[in-house]
Amino acid sequence: MLRRFGLIFVTAIIVATLLLTACGGSPAAPTVASNAPAVSSKGDAETTTDPDANPDAATAAPVDPSAPTATVASAAPAPVGGAGFAVEINQAIGIQLKGAKNYAAGKATAILAFMDAETKVDEATTQAVVIRDGNPVTTLKAKTQEKPGNVVEFLCPDMPTCGDWQKGNYEFEVTVNGAKTKTDAVNFVESKVLRVLAVNVKAKYGTVVTQVQGDGWKTMDDFTRATYPIAAANLRWAVRDEVDGTQYDLETDEGRIGLWQMLTGLVPNTCQADPAQEGCYDMVVGFISDRPMGYPSGSLQGWTAGLPATVVVASDQDAKATVAHEIAHVFAVGDTYAGGSLNCAINPSPDGMKGSDWNDRSKETSCTAGAKQFSSEVSATMIDAASVHPYEVGGRGALPSMACFMGSGGKQSEFWVTPEVYDALFQKLLRADSANSAFKMAAAKPAAVEKSMLYYFGYIKEDGSFVAEPWYTFTDVDAEAMPASPSGSPVTIKVLGADGKELASKNDKVEFYPNVAPGDKIVKVDEAALEGVVDFPADAKKVQIVYQDKVIYEATVSDNKPVVSDVTPVEAAQKIDGNYKVTWKGSDADKDNLTYTIEFNPDASNPNSEWWVLADNLKATEWEEDLSQWPGGAKAKFRVTATDGILSGEAESQEFTVPFKAPEVVISEPEWGTEYAVDDEISLTADVYDMQDEPVDEKSIVWTSDQVATPLGYGAEIITSLPAGTHTITLTVKNSVGVETKVVLDKKIVVK
């Protein structure tokens, strides 16, 4: 039985930089212009690869092993005379907060050699060897320079070539024009999974009903993937096609709160007790077509009444940055725009900028850490290119000075991540069991034990009254306590026995100053959501909510729990596709009014599979669902849960079959054009989504040319080179159940 609030404090990795000198010299930071360093947009991507890592990789020309090697201590290098250079390992930010050296396993990585002067690179004597746990993984050739430059870039043509950047101790042996340096070993550490549910909402503005146009919202995770310290495979972006929110008028406060509540209902209530289970999410992002409060040219960029749900306008040009912004709030990252919720201790906003204090949002504060504003038009902390080296791996490469995505008012192309935000995410997202000597292992926890719990949800009004939504009882493990908000007003939930004795209790908080969409000012609202779980012993008879030292709500536990039966289909092994009406029966011996939640599982035979909430707060005993919009499975089931307000009962349908779905694939316009010379680097990217797989295995994403006998590379992003000719590029994606999609690039690649 599922419902709300998947606030999962997961762990991942933050990226950092390793800067080392070659040919001697004392440590200090290399100089980079305030705009992007002068690097070529095209060049070679040939590789020499350890056969055990990738037997199909090409071979690069060897470098003279007798060339002098300088191994230097890990420190920010000083400018070096002659042909000196510094090595930087960059996954998004080159110079990390306080010189940290933290790297995410499974995340695309660039190896950069910063020269102390503009240098013409000799490709025959320039390369980078990637070494993991003492064993060579691959050897990368530098991107070909069109003219002398001060930065030499080494990029993996695809993730498998570099061993998917698996966890381990990495060293990098970099040679430029025969001069060689080998870095100290650094750890690439694993992350936990970060789960986001993306939902397309059919919305109502007054009398107008609209739908999100196109499929762009389905891939609005790519900016988060690029800027967050997390393995590409560990950002689980689950897509759910259209949900009907037309019962809520988004031009009204009540309608906006209603849509938020509907989105929170898509997350299991059991996530309050066990947030790591399948079906739980850190964030639910509901995409709507246009801004409300004055549709079609409304003023509201988005909204939330608290975690885990937020609403984002899909047509906004900076919607991708908004997604990254809202997810970061899960990990206590504050705003960096005027009027926002500022967390000066974590990620300071520009000096003098005023906003609400993250830890007490009823108070105003400002930061004094020396951060500067990006521009007078963009309210955001500036990311100085010369100081921190922002870099988009596999995309634009070295970036100019940028604006923090926790700010507001900028273009999508202007936003990136600050070292402070990166560091905050790293500290929150690092796996406790990652083998990194810089971090202590978390103490072992005793095995979780199943017990009966009560899920509560409702709203405390400003006048102290309480409006209850349906509550549910369930049996699950209380594996991880949900953290209370640092800000807010204290509330206590008490479970009492027949004699009034307290059997269990839970201290919680409600927030009357919730986070808002980027650019909007934090203001006090007239009601605050209260949601959580509390232990529920078998002899419980009453539940009380205590607020401001008063009992503001009391509910009596019924003698009998509801009974659900006859959930369709009642005959096994049916094949169902398209629209299907699920029906069931519900009864209650105490004659209580019942409310229902219905869920779908494409593989109910797997105890670790995910139950998807189709709808909750239903009064009727039927629901129609379009199963063409859901993953396929041979042992699918529906499940219906009834509640009388506190006690719950549930039942499942018989198993049935839903056809497997093909992957969805869209090839992007080649970023570097469609005409090249032989040996030029060519960047090929695509958006790939599959209902059955989250995400699709990189090795199952295969690029080919009709003029080349072997695959060009594997994964959604590759860098390759092609022989002379006119090439038709095809991307083939096969999911784990064997269903395949082939897409052809609509423009030919011409190589002369």
Side-chain angles (χ1 to χ4, degrees):
M1 177 269 308
L2 303 177
R3 189 176 153 107
R4 297 188 168 88
F5 205 28
L7 172 57
I8 313 166
F9 277 74
V10 299
T11 47
I13 325 304
I14 185 167
V15 250
T17 177
L18 177 61
L19 294 171
L20 298 169
T21 55
C23 306
S26 58
T31 300
V32 181
S34 60
N35 289 318
V39 295
S40 169
S41 64
K42 298 180 181 179
D44 290 339
E46 299 174 14
T47 59
T48 300
T49 306
D50 173 24
D52 293 333
N54 186 354
D56 298 323
T59 302
V63 173
D64 181 5
S66 64
T69 300
T71 301
V72 199
S74 299
V80 191
F85 63 91
V87 176
E88 176 179 288
I89 310 305
N90 195 317
Q91 294 181 320
I93 287 290
I95 300 178
Q96 213 180 58
L97 185 67
K98 298 180 180 179
K101 303 167 195 157
N102 304 304
Y103 298 84
K107 185 172 177 66
T109 303
I111 305 162
L112 308 177
F114 284 80
M115 314 304 295
D116 70 333
E118 287 194 351
T119 303
K120 176 63 177 176
V121 171
D122 175 13
E123 295 181 17
T125 58
T126 299
Q127 66 179 26
V129 181
V130 179
I131 303 166
R132 184 179 69 242
D133 296 332
N135 300 308
V137 175
T138 190
T139 299
L140 304 174
K141 293 291 287 184
K143 291 182 67 176
T144 300
Q145 293 179 318
E146 295 178 345
K147 59 182 180 180
N150 66 338
V151 180
V152 182
E153 296 174 282
F154 302 91
L155 300 171
C156 293
D158 55 30
M159 290 287 285
T161 296
C162 286
D164 295 315
W165 293 108
Q166 296 174 22
K167 70 174 182 177
N169 289 304
Y170 280 80
E171 299 166 284
F172 300 90
E173 187 176 88
V174 179
T175 305
V176 179
N177 293 347
K180 185 189 302 183
T181 185
K182 186 175 182 181
T183 69
D184 287 345
V186 291
N187 259 338
F188 278 41
V189 291
E190 287 187 315
S191 63
K192 284 186 178 179
V193 173
L194 174 59
R195 299 173 180 175
V196 181
L197 177 62
V199 182
N200 170 17
V201 179
K202 184 178 181 180
K204 180 181 179 182
Y205 303 79
T207 59
V208 179
V209 174
T210 69
Q211 296 170 288
V212 175
Q213 299 300 306
D215 290 332
W217 64 276
K218 291 183 177 180
T219 55
M220 285 195 178
D221 58 322
D222 54 4
F223 179 79
T224 302
R225 209 177 293 274
T227 56
Y228 270 49
I230 190 170
N234 284 358
L235 176 53
R236 304 288 175 82
W237 179 262
V239 172
R240 174 167 178 174
D241 271 320
E242 189 174 89
V243 297
D244 189 350
T246 55
Q247 64 269 44
Y248 307 110
D249 182 359
L250 302 189
E251 293 294 279
T252 67
D253 290 338
E254 294 78 9
R256 290 189 289 272
I257 289 295
L259 179 58
W260 171 84
Q261 183 176 330
M262 186 188 77
L263 294 172
T264 67
L266 301 179
V267 179
N269 58 20
T270 54
C271 293
Q272 285 281 343
D274 185 11
Q277 67 178 291
E278 288 297 325
C280 296
Y281 297 96
D282 296 90
M283 176 70 69
V284 178
V285 182
F287 289 100
I288 58 175
S289 63
D290 300 276
R291 293 188 180 189
M293 293 183 69
Y295 173 87
S297 302
S299 60
L300 193 59
Q301 188 173 348
W303 70 91
T304 180
L307 293 171
T310 190
V311 180
V312 173
V313 180
S315 58
D316 280 353
Q317 57 84 23
D318 61 344
K320 292 184 178 182
T322 300
V323 170
H325 179 121
E326 294 300 330
I327 297 172
H329 280 323
V330 174
F331 305 106
V333 175
D335 298 314
T336 63
Y337 65 83
S341 183
L342 312 183
N343 195 342
C344 299
I346 300 296
N347 61 308
S349 61
D351 282 7
M353 181 178 286
K354 294 182 179 180
S356 299
D357 187 331
W358 178 272
N359 295 308
D360 184 354
R361 295 175 194 175
S362 65
K363 297 179 180 179
E364 188 177 69
T365 191
S366 61
C367 304
T368 57
K372 297 179 180 179
Q373 186 165 327
F374 178 72
S375 71
S376 58
E377 295 80 19
V378 181
S379 185
T381 299
M382 184 176 74
I383 305 163
D384 180 50
S387 301
V388 301
H389 303 176
Y391 191 94
E392 184 177 20
V393 182
R396 294 169 290 174
L399 299 171
S401 293
M402 305 290 279
C404 177
F405 63 64
M406 298 309 295
S408 177
K411 299 176 182 177
Q412 177 64 46
S413 60
E414 294 175 317
F415 287 117
W416 203 246
V417 62
T418 65
E420 290 81 6
V421 172
Y422 232 47
D423 189 71
L425 292 172
F426 175 69
Q427 302 298 337
K428 295 288 187 179
L429 302 175
L430 177 70
R431 270 184 60 160
D433 59 349
S434 293
N436 188 337
S437 59
F439 299 92
K440 295 181 178 180
M441 300 281 284
K445 296 181 180 180
V449 178
E450 283 198 344
K451 56 184 176 180
S452 179
M453 286 176 279
L454 171 68
Y455 166 82
Y456 55 86
F457 180 66
Y459 297 92
I460 294 182
K461 301 286 187 177
E462 193 174 11
D463 63 7
S465 60
F466 182 74
V467 178
E469 296 293 331
W471 296 1
Y472 292 81
T473 50
F474 61 93
T475 301
D476 207 333
V477 296
D478 192 2
E480 181 179 348
M482 302 300 291
S485 169
S487 177
S489 303
V491 181
T492 301
I493 296 85
K494 295 183 178 181
V495 179
L496 309 178
D499 57 358
K501 181 180 178 181
E502 183 178 308
L503 305 178
S505 66
K506 168 78 175 292
N507 293 323
D508 210 331
K509 286 187 177 182
V510 290
E511 180 58 78
F512 283 94
Y513 294 84
N515 287 319
V516 294
D520 293 331
K521 186 177 181 179
I522 299 290
V523 295
K524 188 176 183 180
V525 295
D526 60 6
E527 62 181 25
L530 174 66
E531 184 172 29
V533 294
V534 63
D535 289 355
F536 194 74
D539 52 347
K541 296 301 180 182
K542 287 185 178 180
V543 182
Q544 292 180 340
I545 295 178
V546 180
Y547 177 64
Q548 295 179 340
D549 299 322
K550 295 189 300 183
V551 176
I552 63 171
Y553 181 78
E554 183 173 275
T556 300
V557 181
S558 299
D559 293 330
N560 302 283
K561 68 179 183 178
V563 176
V564 180
S565 63
D566 299 330
V567 181
T568 60
V570 294
E571 296 180 2
Q574 292 188 42
K575 182 177 181 180
I576 302 176
D577 196 13
N579 290 332
Y580 180 80
K581 181 180 286 187
V582 188
T583 62
W584 60 90
K585 295 179 181 178
S587 61
D588 185 89
D590 304 308
K591 306 300 181 182
D592 294 324
N593 293 325
L594 301 182
T595 304
Y596 301 97
T597 297
I598 180 170
E599 306 154 77
F600 166 74
N601 189 328
D603 185 12
S605 64
N606 179 358
N608 296 318
S609 63
E610 180 174 348
W611 284 93
W612 295 77
V613 178
L614 302 181
D616 71 343
N617 287 350
L618 297 175
K619 302 299 183 183
T621 55
E622 63 181 35
W623 177 260
E624 186 167 336
E625 187 67 31
D626 183 2
L627 290 177
S628 68
Q629 304 300 317
W630 290 96
K635 296 183 178 182
K637 278 188 175 184
F638 293 113
R639 182 167 66 185
V640 175
T641 301
T643 177
D644 63 8
I646 293 182
L647 298 179
S648 304
E650 65 182 43
E652 297 177 359
S653 71
Q654 292 293 320
E655 289 183 351
F656 56 94
T657 299
V658 178
F660 291 115
K661 311 302 190 299
E664 298 179 29
V665 181
V666 178
I667 301 179
S668 304
E669 184 83 11
E671 187 172 357
W672 299 341
T674 57
E675 294 187 3
Y676 299 85
V678 173
D679 292 335
D680 276 353
E681 285 189 333
I682 302 170
S683 173
L684 298 174
T685 64
D687 293 321
V688 178
Y689 167 71
D690 183 76
M691 287 191 185
Q692 282 77 215
D693 298 341
E694 295 177 21
V696 178
D697 186 351
E698 293 274 327
K699 296 179 180 63
S700 298
I701 305 172
V702 185
W703 297 86
T704 57
S705 165
D706 62 340
Q707 303 296 313
V708 180
T710 57
L712 304 179
Y714 303 86
E717 300 178 1
I718 69 167
I719 298 173
T720 189
S721 58
L722 295 170
T726 300
H727 296 259
T728 298
I729 304 298
T730 301
L731 180 58
T732 303
V733 180
K734 181 183 290 187
N735 61 25
S736 60
V737 294
V739 183
E740 181 177 280
T741 297
K742 287 190 176 184
V743 177
V744 177
L745 180 63
D746 59 3
K747 294 183 179 179
K748 306 284 188 181
I749 300 292
V750 178
V751 181
K752 299 179 180 179

